[in-house]
Amino acid sequence: MSTEHRGAAGPYIEYDGLPVLHATEVKLPLIHPYAPVTPGRYVTPGGGRLTIRTPEKPAHIRITLDHLGCPAQLTEEKNDAFKRLALAAEGHCVHAGCRHVPAYGGGVLRSFEVRNGSITLTAFVRAALAVELGDFGPADRLLQESEALAGPVRREGEEDQASDG
């Protein structure tokens, strides 16, 4: 184990070949893609920190995925796949008549809201873990299912922005 100090927020520690973790995170359980998924905080196979919790809106589950210290998770392809995963969750909200601001933030800290009774928590988390490992199929399938149910969930101009890059 090597220690790396990053100022007041550190120290960060290399953990089982994954990107460095804060000293308080090394005792987090590793989440396995085929293990049961329950609310809590985990380290993912791709080196992220996954938090699953029920927010103040009980109709939704909030999922955050933090990839601090892991530039391999911040590629354009993975950002686009995580965005499609967020759109899949949003499509179920649109279908249910739930109009909240979509809870997706790209970059190093990704945040999602999944409506209870729509995409199962297990399917959503497995799709997110698959994206981390470079398999975009599960996220694409969830988006296709969502759009079959609710119609296109992309906002105007998003496709234009994606093709500009």
Side-chain angles (χ1 to χ4, degrees):
M1 238 196 263
S2 66
T3 301
E4 181 180 317
H5 184 63
R6 293 189 181 176
Y12 285 79
I13 299 167
E14 188 175 310
Y15 177 66
D16 199 25
L18 296 172
V20 293
L21 299 173
H22 189 273
T24 61
E25 297 171 326
V26 295
K27 295 197 188 279
L28 291 176
L30 292 170
I31 189 167
H32 188 281
Y34 298 108
V37 178
T38 58
R41 187 153 162 78
Y42 306 91
V43 174
T44 66
R49 272 73 89 208
L50 178 75
T51 305
I52 304 168
R53 65 185 172 88
T54 304
E56 53 282 348
K57 294 185 275 183
H60 296 84
I61 295 173
R62 178 168 294 266
I63 300 165
T64 56
L65 186 56
D66 157 5
H67 285 115
L68 184 63
C70 190
Q73 297 299 339
L74 303 176
T75 67
E76 192 67 34
E77 286 177 318
K78 288 186 179 183
N79 285 338
D80 289 345
F82 281 119
K83 178 70 174 191
R84 291 191 302 273
L85 189 56
L87 288 169
E90 183 183 345
H92 284 276
C93 285
V94 167
H95 182 260
C98 175
R99 295 306 306 165
H100 59 86
V101 176
Y104 175 75
V108 78
L109 178 64
R110 296 177 173 94
S111 178
F112 308 91
E113 276 191 6
V114 179
R115 186 170 180 79
N116 283 326
S118 63
I119 300 171
T120 66
L121 178 60
T122 300
F124 191 88
V125 169
R126 285 181 182 165
L129 298 177
V131 170
E132 271 196 335
L133 299 174
D135 180 4
F136 308 137
D140 292 337
R141 279 190 297 279
L142 288 177
L143 180 58
Q144 288 169 356
E145 291 170 8
S146 178
E147 288 186 330
L149 181 67
V153 290
R154 291 177 183 85
R155 301 206 186 312
E156 279 186 40
E158 280 186 356
E159 299 230 349
D160 295 335
Q161 291 172 358
S163 62
D164 288 343

